[in-house]
């Protein structure tokens, strides 16, 4: 099959963006400990105070995030984005209704991100009004008994920061820490868990994602570089960079420093549990030439090591990847999701076990879900994924919560609004929400705290 470059980019990216953020913690925070490690083998019950939630990310649901680097990328000539985000789900205005809906369904947690590009739209100017907006969101969560988990950076960046080299800029760690400190000073008393970054390992993961029928040696990282070259010409801004199209090596170094500095900055403003979330494919070695260990070392190990110092680790998984001398395609005849991934809910159990073993800190499943138009498959996915989480807990692994991706059908980055990850559907014209059966199923499990 012949594909042009644009088709390539879209096809390749279907394998990318969805892989697409204890007591030890809380002893040092002075906060009341959460539920202890509960061995509940034999009982269908999850531990007391288990977090049951759904997640969103600001850019994917708020709409009109005009000061963001992604707003620019979505509109650039030859953009990889299928369509721009525009009004998204207008969650910026409809958050109260969405939060109430989540609580009505029986959940007890909401994970969302605050948008740096709104809070600091110009370097050094921190908008009190925008911070107040997020304060109202946090208050809405507390009013309805939802524990808020807040991500400070979910991929998108302020435009000014991108023009200064994004994560390639040696000052980026300090700039990010300053933003985190300012945001926490105004919001920290209402935040239960803070994640500095959502999936900072993604740029390295891109090197391990095969593109079917790609020109020799071309991986997703190569496609990102091609996108960047086009963009640079258009912007005429030699320093411009962004999370997904930047120099992965330089960016990782700075993001790791940024995580550590931001953690101190957050804790200096308010002593809350801080961690990060990782994109984790369930890697499975295949054959004698498997590069499994190399992939682990390349993508996850540096972050897992860093997370050992954190208060928790957020695990985010969607599928497995069988690693021979390269990543193999899904097995013949396997059920595929709208993203082209193998339907494989067992990936959650495997990645939770790995993250817990490597970090020895409490695990929160901060994302897990499936893109499908057939909601009965989402129900099946959830049930199987949760059975795996329960097995982990029964084995004594300290898992604190399950946060489903996503609360709403939303803007799935370069794929636009096509993939449907939501527990709740959103009418693209009217913004009317429709609760899907999977939302009720997961809500009932949450209410019962039991499968
Ligand atoms: C990201 C989300 C994305 C989801 C589904 C994760 O990689 O954190 O922003 O929408 O996967 O692809």
């Amino acid at each position: 099959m012949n594909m042009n470059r644009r088709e390539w980019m879209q096809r390749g990216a279907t394998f990318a963006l969805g892989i697409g953020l204890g007591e030890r913690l809380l002893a040092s925070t002075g906060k009341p400990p959460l539920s202890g490690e509960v061995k509940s083998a034999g009982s269908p019950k999850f531990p007391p105070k288990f977090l049951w939630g759904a997640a969103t990310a600001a850019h994917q649901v708020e709409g009109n995030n005009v000061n963001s680097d992604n707003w620019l990328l979505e509109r650039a000539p030859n953009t990889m984005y299928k369509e721009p985000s525009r009004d998204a789900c207008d969650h910026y205005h409809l958050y109260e209704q969405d939060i109430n809906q989540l609580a009505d369904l029986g959940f007890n947690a909401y994970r969302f991100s605050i948008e740096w590009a709104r809070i600091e739209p110009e370097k050094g100017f921190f908008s009190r009004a925008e911070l107040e907006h997020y304060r109202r969101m946090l208050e809405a969560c507390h009013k309805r008994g939802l524990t808020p988990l807040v991500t400070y950076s979910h991929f998108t960046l302020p435009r000014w920061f991108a023009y200064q080299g994004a994560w390639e800029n040696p000052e980026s760690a300090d700039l990010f820490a300053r933003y985190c400190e300012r945001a926490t000073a105004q919001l920290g008393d209402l935040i239960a868990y803070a994640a500095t970054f959502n999936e900072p390992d993604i740029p390295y993961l891109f090197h391990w994602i095969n593109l079917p029928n790609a020109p020799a040696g071309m991986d997703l990282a190569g496609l990102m570089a091609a996108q960047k070259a086009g963009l640079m010409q258009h912007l005429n801004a030699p320093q411009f960079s962004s999370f997904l199209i930047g120099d992965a090596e330089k960016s990782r170094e700075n993001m790791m420093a940024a995580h550590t500095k931001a953690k101190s900055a957050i804790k200096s403003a308010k002593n809350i549990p801080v961690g990060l979330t990782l994109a984790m494919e369930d890697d499975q070695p295949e054959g004698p030439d498997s590069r499994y260990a190399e992939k682990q070392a390349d993508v996850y190990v540096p972050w897992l090591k860093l997370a050992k110092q954190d208060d928790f680790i957020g695990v985010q998984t969607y599928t497995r990847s069988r690693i021979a001398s390269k990543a193999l395609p899904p097995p013949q005849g396997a059920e595929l999701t709208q993203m082209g991934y193998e339907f494989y809910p067992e990936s959650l159990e495997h990645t939770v076990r790995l993250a817990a073993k490597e970090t020895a800190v409490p695990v929160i499943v901060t994302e897990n879900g499936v893109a499908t138009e057939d909601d009965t498959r989402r129900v099946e996915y959830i049930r199987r994924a949760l059975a795996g989480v329960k097995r982990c807990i029964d084995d004594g692994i300290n898992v604190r919560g399950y946060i489903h991706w996503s609360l709403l059908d939303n803007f799935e980055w370069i794929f636009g609004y096509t993939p449907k990850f939501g527990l709740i559907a959103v009418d693209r014209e009217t913004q009317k929400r429709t609760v899907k059966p999977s939302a009720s199923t997961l809500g009932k499990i949450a209410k019962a705290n039991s499968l």
Side-chain angles (χ1 to χ4, degrees):
M1 177 176 37
N2 281 330
M3 284 196 259
N4 64 31
R5 180 162 210 94
R6 189 187 166 85
E7 285 167 336
W8 262 107
M9 289 186 165
Q10 296 194 339
R11 179 91 184 259
T14 53
F15 292 84
L17 280 171
I19 299 165
L21 51 253
E23 269 37 341
R24 171 175 120 35
L25 102 109
L26 300 161
S28 62
T29 64
K31 289 204 134 208
L34 298 175
S35 56
E37 280 190 45
V38 176
K39 278 238 175 196
S40 47
S43 146
K45 283 269 179 199
F46 280 70
K49 295 191 190 156
F50 194 77
L51 297 171
W52 293 102
T56 58
H59 189 79
Q60 294 176 266
V61 293
E62 284 182 344
N64 299 300
N65 187 16
V66 296
N67 292 315
S68 151
D69 61 343
N70 272 54
W71 191 264
L72 209 59
L73 294 169
E74 289 160 23
R75 283 148 200 281
N78 299 320
T79 181
M80 291 169 68
Y81 285 78
K82 188 177 169 212
E83 57 189 319
S85 51
R86 301 184 296 253
D87 282 341
C89 305
D90 199 18
H91 187 63
Y92 188 82
H93 297 105
L94 302 178
Y95 68 87
E96 197 168 0
Q97 144 186 353
D98 292 334
I99 286 170
N100 284 339
Q101 181 67 78
L102 190 60
D104 288 345
L105 283 163
F107 291 83
N108 64 16
Y110 181 36
R111 172 177 180 247
F112 63 97
S113 72
I114 55 175
E115 188 60 58
W116 186 5
R118 285 185 192 274
I119 294 171
E120 192 181 1
E122 277 175 35
K123 189 177 184 179
F125 165 65
F126 291 89
S127 166
R128 225 193 136 75
E130 292 292 357
L131 281 165
E132 276 307 303
H133 166 80
Y134 291 116
R135 213 177 150 78
R136 286 192 291 274
M137 280 185 76
L138 289 161
E139 282 166 355
C141 289
H142 286 285
K143 203 166 131 201
R144 294 303 314 270
L146 297 174
T147 297
L149 297 91
V150 171
T151 309
Y152 284 59
S153 173
H154 194 122
F155 299 160
T156 43
L157 301 167
R159 275 187 199 211
W160 62 262
F161 185 80
Y163 274 106
Q164 295 184 5
W167 298 112
E168 294 170 45
N169 177 356
E171 285 174 17
S172 54
D174 288 324
L175 292 168
F176 180 64
R178 179 176 69 170
Y179 146 70
C180 290
E181 197 274 326
R182 293 294 289 262
T184 313
Q186 204 166 328
L187 307 174
D189 57 323
L190 298 179
I191 296 175
Y193 290 88
T196 53
F197 290 124
N198 180 71
E199 302 186 339
D201 57 333
I202 283 261
Y204 271 72
L205 195 53
F206 278 6
H207 288 280
W208 291 88
I209 291 166
N210 274 319
L211 304 180
N213 309 320
M218 196 149 193
D219 59 13
L220 197 50
L223 290 179
M224 291 291 163
Q227 162 92 122
K228 183 172 181 186
L231 188 72
M232 298 308 253
Q233 246 179 351
H234 163 67
L235 293 175
N236 192 20
Q239 311 250 288
F240 188 93
S241 185
S242 181
F243 174 62
L244 289 179
I245 61 176
D247 175 315
E249 208 173 323
K250 262 194 223 162
S251 299
R252 177 156 83 185
E253 212 173 291
N254 288 325
M255 287 184 85
M256 292 183 98
H259 172 70
T260 305
K261 286 186 174 180
K263 185 165 60 174
S264 309
I266 292 169
K267 284 186 181 281
S268 73
K270 186 76 197 171
N271 200 6
I272 40 183
V274 181
L276 51 82
T277 77
L278 283 188
M280 298 183 76
E281 288 189 299
D282 174 15
D283 292 328
Q284 303 183 357
E286 288 276 340
D289 301 330
S290 174
R291 291 173 68 208
Y292 168 87
E294 204 186 318
K295 179 178 176 189
Q296 296 288 306
D298 192 41
V299 182
Y300 312 115
V301 169
W303 291 104
L304 289 168
K305 271 193 186 155
L306 194 63
K308 284 184 185 185
Q309 316 300 321
D310 290 348
D311 299 318
F312 68 92
I313 173 96
V315 169
Q316 312 198 158
T317 197
Y318 289 86
T319 191
R320 70 168 164 172
S321 179
R322 296 173 310 132
I323 310 288
S325 59
K326 58 180 188 139
L328 301 174
Q332 277 278 314
E335 176 180 350
L336 300 182
T337 75
Q338 271 185 310
M339 301 294 280
Y341 307 156
E342 182 182 352
F343 182 97
Y344 192 78
E346 288 67 32
S347 61
L348 186 56
E349 173 176 1
H350 303 158
T351 48
V352 164
R353 286 186 190 277
L354 181 82
K357 179 162 163 273
E358 295 301 323
T359 62
V361 295
V363 172
I364 303 175
V365 177
T366 38
E367 278 184 30
N368 176 244
V370 59
T372 177
E373 291 278 7
D374 178 354
D375 196 54
T376 63
R377 299 313 290 150
R378 193 177 338 274
V379 170
E380 168 76 5
Y381 190 97
I382 289 173
R383 287 202 180 283
R384 276 164 56 185
L386 284 176
V389 172
K390 186 62 172 47
R391 284 190 291 273
C392 293
I393 294 170
D394 289 347
D395 284 346
I397 297 175
N398 195 355
V399 188
R400 295 311 180 93
Y402 175 85
I403 314 287
H404 191 78
W405 184 270
S406 178
L407 175 62
L408 303 169
D409 283 340
N410 63 44
F411 180 66
E412 180 55 25
W413 307 110
I414 51 186
F415 312 104
Y417 291 100
T418 306
K420 302 290 188 282
F421 277 98
L423 295 168
I424 297 176
V426 177
D427 185 297
R428 299 253 36 87
E429 284 303 308
T430 62
Q431 297 289 357
K432 187 177 176 299
R433 274 59 167 154
T434 305
V435 172
K436 300 181 192 176
S438 56
S440 311
T441 302
L442 186 52
K444 276 189 200 130
I445 294 173
K447 225 188 266 177
N449 199 31
S450 179
L451 267 179

